[in-house]
Amino acid sequence: ERLGGRLKNSESGVDLGGAWIWPEFGQRRIAELLRELNIGTFRQPDDESSTRIAGGAYKAIEELSKRLPQERIMLGFDVSRCAVQKQEDEGGVERE
C-alpha cells in the first residue's frame, strides 16, 4: 500500500502516471494547488497546449502528504468523495 493510486514515479524519478494539466481549459484549481505547494509546471516541448508538472504528478502527492496529519492518511480505501471542511482559526473566524 502506498499513496498516489495510479500516480507513481520510478525510482529514478521518471513519471509513470498522469503528468499533464490544462489550466486554460478548466483546471485552474489544480494549477493553484501546485503553486501553493511550490511545485513548478512547464509547457510540453512538442505540444504547447499541454502543461506538465515538474517532478511528475506524484510530486503533488508527496508534498500534500507532508502537510496532512499522519493520522488522517488512510491506505487501502477507495476515495468516494472529497470535500472542503470549514474550520475556525484561533480568532474564531471560519476558513476553508
Side-chain angles (χ1 to χ4, degrees), residues 21-90:
I21 61 169
W22 290 270
E24 55 280 339
F25 298 108
Q27 293 183 331
R28 289 181 182 87
R29 291 186 78 179
I30 191 68
E32 291 169 14
L33 175 62
L34 293 171
R35 278 191 295 277
E36 187 178 312
L37 296 172
N38 294 313
I39 299 172
T41 60
F42 60 94
R43 293 290 185 178
Q44 174 81 21
D46 60 346
D47 180 1
E48 286 291 313
S49 71
S50 298
T51 301
R52 292 192 59 110
I53 301 169
Y58 193 74
K59 183 75 174 164
I61 302 301
E62 291 174 326
E63 292 302 317
L64 282 169
S65 69
K66 291 176 188 175
R67 291 167 167 76
L68 293 172
Q70 293 303 299
E71 67 273 8
R72 300 291 295 183
I73 297 175
M74 296 183 288
L75 301 176
F77 292 88
D78 293 337
V79 175
S80 59
R81 72 183 175 108
C82 294
V84 175
Q85 294 182 345
K86 293 186 178 183
Q87 301 175 354
E88 286 187 7
D89 65 15
E90 293 113 24

